[in-house]
């Protein structure tokens, strides 16, 4: 029986081909398994808006600062706000940093006043300044007692990125570069794009194929403002599978050990959703993202030393194809690079 060492490459390539054949806008697929990698689709240097996958970076930056003693996971948000701003509380409980990272703060999904200022514009978050966030926070009522319930909040994640950056004396972009990108050698992950970065950015499209302009998340960058490439996100994923630089490894372990149980099937970790892959008992941690013209998915299965990344310059979801790809990789067995050729599908 002939053998092949290309199953991982084949599975990633077929997923990229299927996605790319149905849409306008380029797509890229990356996969990792037991030290092997595969990248397919557009040029590897192509950049995309990664939307809410940014939240995995914000949460890891938080854990990094916790490990170094700069902040505490249970530190009240009020400690990091300007003196004239007080975060809302409820039921005798205040918002803590872990609540922002796990979407249990009770904050609403969007900042107060954002809807009126531009939610229906082509670049809806561009006017979301730090002043708007703080002014809205004064007038915000919590939906639940902090720490009690999961309620996904872009406002909470954006606030977390903003206050962490200010605590370190930087902006959010610099925070991510210092805490994550430089230690991992990720040179193509950033908020702001210079002319060279703009040239590498894939044009975004709606689901129907219409061109969509880039988004700028301003002070909410920690909720979804990063641009990245598949090779960079594979480095990020590999750090979560191990090995990683010592300080980052400790921060990754902290986030994995910190969880809020949502139901019998899912838990929220700082920056991640933990569940099982569809039609399996394979544990997975993932986050997806979406902006006006892009969709993204990053999923890791640490117990199986596997991960996938899909970046799409089209607003059509890539969640199902991506999770199916990760399941196929794990189903292939302990070494997907050496299998009977007849098993390649």
């Amino acid at each position: 029986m002939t053998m092949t060492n290309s199953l991982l490459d084949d599975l990633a390539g077929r997923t990229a081909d299927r996605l790319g054949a149905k849409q306008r806008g380029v797509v890229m697929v990356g996969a990792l398994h037991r030290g092997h990698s595969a990248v397919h689709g557009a040029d590897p240097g192509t950049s995309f808006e990664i939307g809410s996958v940014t939240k995995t970076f914000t949460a890891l930056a938080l854990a990094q600062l916790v490990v170094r003693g700069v902040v505490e996971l249970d530190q009240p948000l009020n400690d990091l706000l300007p003196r004239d701003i007080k975060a809302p509380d409820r039921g005798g409980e205040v918002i803590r940093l872990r609540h922002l990272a796990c979407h249990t703060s009770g904050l609403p999904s969007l900042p107060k006043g954002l809807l009126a200022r531009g939610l229906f514009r082509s670049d809806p978050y561009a006017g979301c300044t730090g002043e708007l966030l703080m002014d809205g926070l004064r007038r915000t009522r919590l939906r639940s007692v902090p720490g009690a319930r999961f309620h996904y909040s872009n406002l909470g994640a954006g606030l977390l990125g903003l206050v962490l950056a200010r605590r370190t004396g930087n902006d959010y972009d610099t925070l991510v570069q210092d805490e994550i990108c430089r230690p991992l050698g990720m040179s193509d992950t950033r908020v702001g794009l210079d002319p060279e970065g703009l040239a590498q950015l894939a044009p975004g499209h709606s689901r129907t194929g219409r061109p969509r302009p880039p988004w700028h998340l301003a002070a909410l960058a920690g909720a979804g403002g990063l641009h990245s490439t598949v090779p960079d996100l594979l480095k990020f994923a590999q750090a979560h599978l191990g090995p990683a630089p010592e300080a980052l490894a400790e921060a990754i372990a902290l986030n994995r050990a910190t969880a809020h149980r949502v139901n019998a099937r899912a838990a929220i970790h700082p920056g991640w959703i933990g569940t099982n892959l569809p039609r399996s008992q394979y544990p997975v941690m993932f986050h997806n993202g979406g902006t006006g013209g892009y969709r993204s998915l990053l999923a890791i299965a640490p117990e199986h030393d596997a991960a996938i990344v899909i970046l799409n310059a089209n607003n059509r979801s890539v969640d199902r194809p991506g999770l199916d790809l990760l399941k196929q990789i794990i189903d292939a067995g302990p070494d997907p690079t050496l299998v009977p050729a007849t098993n390649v599908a």
Side-chain angles (χ1 to χ4, degrees):
M1 180 179 293
T2 59
M3 306 295 286
T4 178
N5 64 353
S6 61
L7 180 56
L8 185 69
D9 190 72
D10 184 67
L11 291 174
R14 291 183 182 221
T15 300
D17 290 343
R18 284 195 298 269
L19 287 171
K22 299 178 181 179
Q23 66 175 38
R24 266 191 167 177
V26 299
V27 64
M28 285 205 68
V29 175
L32 293 173
H33 194 208
R34 300 186 183 276
H36 302 281
S37 65
V39 175
H40 278 271
D43 183 279
T46 304
S47 178
F48 300 76
E49 294 179 1
I50 66 172
S52 287
V53 173
T54 300
K55 293 178 174 70
T56 62
F57 288 79
T58 304
L60 186 55
L62 168 62
Q64 279 273 80
L65 298 180
V66 170
V67 166
R68 293 211 308 276
V70 178
V71 297
E72 299 176 3
L73 203 55
D74 284 317
Q75 190 164 355
L77 171 61
N78 282 326
D79 288 358
L80 279 70
L81 293 175
R83 291 183 179 180
D84 61 333
I85 304 295
K86 183 178 181 295
D89 54 40
R90 182 167 174 173
E93 178 59 88
V94 298
I95 298 172
R96 304 179 187 276
L97 299 186
R98 81 159 64 225
H99 299 152
L100 298 176
C102 291
H103 300 282
T104 57
S105 66
L107 287 167
S109 299
L110 297 172
K112 198 90 170 175
L114 179 63
L115 187 65
R117 287 174 179 257
L119 189 58
F120 296 105
R121 296 177 182 173
S122 59
D123 191 5
Y125 294 93
C128 193
T129 63
E131 291 71 25
L132 176 69
L133 285 185
M134 295 304 162
D135 180 65
L137 200 58
R138 289 191 182 100
R139 300 178 286 114
T140 296
R141 296 181 61 185
L142 299 185
R143 300 180 54 150
S144 57
V145 175
R149 293 177 55 194
F150 168 75
H151 179 75
Y152 191 85
S153 175
N154 280 315
L155 170 58
L159 270 174
L160 180 60
L162 181 64
V163 299
L164 292 179
R166 290 182 173 180
R167 173 53 63 97
T168 59
N170 295 310
D171 57 20
Y172 178 76
D173 208 346
T174 303
L175 173 73
V176 170
Q177 299 304 316
D178 289 348
E179 300 298 334
I180 301 169
C181 294
R182 273 192 285 275
L184 294 179
M186 299 170 60
S187 59
D188 293 320
T189 300
R190 60 182 65 90
V191 175
L193 296 178
D194 58 18
E196 182 181 355
L198 286 171
Q200 294 174 330
L201 180 66
H205 297 80
S206 71
R207 295 183 189 183
T208 58
R210 293 186 177 183
R212 303 296 298 167
W215 277 12
H216 305 86
L217 271 76
L220 276 177
L226 285 174
H227 305 83
S228 192
T229 63
V230 163
D232 258 20
L233 290 180
L234 288 179
K235 292 178 182 178
F236 186 70
Q238 184 62 67
H240 284 77
L241 300 179
E246 184 176 352
L248 270 172
E250 191 174 347
I252 288 167
L254 174 62
N255 279 348
R256 197 167 296 167
T258 304
H260 174 86
R261 175 61 58 180
V262 177
N263 53 44
R265 297 184 305 248
I268 302 300
H269 302 265
W272 298 89
I273 301 166
T275 186
N276 288 337
L277 285 172
R279 304 177 306 283
S280 82
Q281 295 299 310
Y282 301 147
V284 63
M285 295 173 65
F286 76 95
H287 210 299
N288 57 8
T291 59
Y294 302 84
R295 283 296 185 101
S296 56
L297 176 69
L298 171 62
I300 60 173
E303 291 185 14
H304 298 276
D305 198 10
I308 62 92
V309 176
I310 300 183
L311 299 181
N312 192 17
N314 183 290
N315 195 246
R316 187 163 57 93
S317 174
V318 295
D319 294 357
R320 183 61 178 268
L323 296 178
D324 284 348
L325 171 61
L326 185 55
K327 181 177 182 296
Q328 291 168 11
I329 292 169
I330 298 172
D331 282 343
D335 188 354
T337 63
L338 189 63
V339 296
T342 53
N343 287 356
V344 177

